[in-house]
């Protein structure tokens, strides 16, 4: 096999969920049918890696020092939503009508992996809360063990600065069938039942 | 969202089996954790697209006019194996002890998609067979309707040049269970049973 081709296949394996077979299929696909698209991908990758950094306000990916959302006058600065990743931020932005601002932790507390408050930019968040503008910290970390631990830590931090912490509701997913909902969720949903109007 | 990020996500969608969600995950993964790997991928893509062309003998991907396999004196020029794609060629090369040469069709006959003998380089194959060196044409197109049609066409072509055409054996896969083998295959395997030694 051509060694440039081998290098390309190897390089594709850097992508998440891409093993030897998939990398091979991608390399062949690009060379056989998508040379133009492959060129665009090569350029988009190089440009993005060179020019995308992190917003100094919210830590989201940004081409500018302050990202478009943080710089926008149309967003409500009283609400701040803390999420683990840019993907979570995007999911909330697309699914809800939320008009406040975000803070992207870029991870969750995980002492065993060496990820503490400093790595999540919590000193920065603390300064942000101390500014006094934020009134509610919406904590949208994932409902995993580490995500919950992070949520508790963030709630404490918020209270220290007189900011009201809130957490996304847990319960049975819309459209889900009770039979297939996991026990923890079902038990929580049952305990947190509300009276019907 | 940063527009360079949007462009990167869009660019990833050129890869096979990559939709919006996966493209997003790939872009975030590269920017969060694999900037070095991403740079290597960008460079490998650009170099491969610029420098990998097709071997003039076998139509496989090659950096040189004649690929390493075709140029090798160690390969047996009496046997020529026709496959649909470079991936098929690689599978045969890795699984078997085949020491002959290959011819990569880069597709299969599919008149409705405008893929005829010319697109598969069959005039080139015809000239190759006319040279008189090849004695056996091993036809390893896929056992699909179009692959079989292509195989029949190739067999005719071989006979016109006095070359013996052969086809990979069909039957029950090794390690397969009869119960789960499709009817066509089982029926074929039953009809083509051979006496045990």
């Amino acid at each position: 096999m051509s060694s440039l081709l081998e290098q390309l296949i190897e390089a594709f394996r850097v992508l998440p969920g891409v093993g030897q077979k998939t990398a091979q299929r991608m390399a062949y696909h690009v060379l056989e049918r998508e040379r133009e698209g492959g060129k665009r991908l090569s350029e988009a990758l190089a440009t993005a890696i060179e020019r995308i950094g992190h917003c100094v306000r919210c830590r989201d990916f940004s081409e500018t020092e302050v990202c478009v959302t943080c710089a926008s006058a149309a967003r409500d600065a009283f609400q701040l939503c803390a999420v683990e990743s840019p993907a979570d931020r995007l999911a909330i932005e697309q699914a809800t009508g939320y008009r406040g601002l975000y803070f992207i932790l870029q991870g969750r507390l995980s002492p065993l992996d060496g990820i503490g408050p400093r790595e999540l930019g919590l000193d920065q968040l603390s300064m942000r809360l101390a500014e006094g503008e934020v009134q509610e910290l919406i904590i949208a970390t994932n409902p995993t063990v580490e995500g919950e631990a992070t949520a508790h830590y963030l709630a404490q931090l918020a209270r220290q600065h007189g900011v009201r912490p809130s957490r996304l509701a847990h319960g049975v997913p819309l459209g889900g069938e009770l039979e297939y909902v996991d026990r923890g969720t079902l038990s929580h949903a049952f305990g947190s039942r509300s009276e019907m109007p």
Side-chain angles (χ1 to χ4, degrees), chain A:
Chain A
M1 203 190 323
S2 146
S3 72
L4 286 178
L5 184 56
E6 271 169 19
Q7 283 167 29
L8 178 58
I9 292 173
E10 190 54 40
F12 268 123
R13 298 193 54 182
V14 84
L15 300 176
V18 173
Q20 178 66 22
K21 274 271 173 186
T22 310
Q24 202 175 293
R25 204 156 50 92
M26 286 176 166
Y28 283 142
H29 179 87
V30 166
L31 290 173
E32 270 168 38
R33 271 184 291 267
E34 281 288 2
R35 289 189 175 231
E36 273 313 306
K39 246 184 242 173
R40 276 199 308 277
L41 175 57
S42 165
E43 285 156 17
L45 258 173
T47 317
I49 289 170
E50 192 192 314
R51 292 193 18 214
I52 295 182
H54 292 281
C55 168
V56 294
R57 291 286 284 171
C58 73
R59 294 167 46 99
D60 194 7
F61 292 126
S62 174
E63 295 163 42
T64 45
E65 204 183 326
V66 174
C67 75
V68 180
T69 308
C70 285
S72 165
R75 310 286 304 207
D76 179 357
F78 303 132
Q79 290 181 308
L80 189 65
C81 178
V83 293
E84 291 182 18
S85 70
D88 293 342
R89 176 204 171 286
L90 186 63
I92 291 177
E93 187 72 6
Q94 287 173 345
T96 72
Y98 180 61
R99 300 298 299 160
L101 296 171
Y102 294 93
F103 188 85
I104 287 92
L105 301 167
Q106 301 282 7
R108 67 211 85 174
L109 289 178
S110 179
L112 290 180
D113 301 320
I115 299 177
R118 182 200 293 271
E119 282 68 30
L120 302 185
L122 296 195
D123 37 358
Q124 194 180 333
L125 178 62
S126 189
M127 273 160 52
R128 177 84 169 265
L129 296 178
E131 287 171 10
E133 200 168 29
V134 177
Q135 291 173 6
E136 178 185 6
L137 180 68
I138 302 170
I139 302 169
T141 53
N142 289 317
T144 57
V145 174
E146 290 172 340
E148 290 294 344
T150 310
H152 280 287
Y153 193 98
L154 291 178
Q156 269 186 323
L157 195 70
R159 286 195 204 93
Q160 278 168 21
H161 292 93
V163 171
R164 186 161 40 91
S166 65
R167 183 100 175 95
L168 299 199
H170 292 319
V172 180
L174 292 187
E177 298 197 46
L178 290 191
E179 188 180 347
Y180 300 112
V181 170
D182 69 286
R183 281 184 188 205
T185 302
L186 192 53
S187 157
H188 182 97
F190 197 83
S192 313
R193 66 191 176 279
S194 60
E195 203 169 325
M196 289 180 71

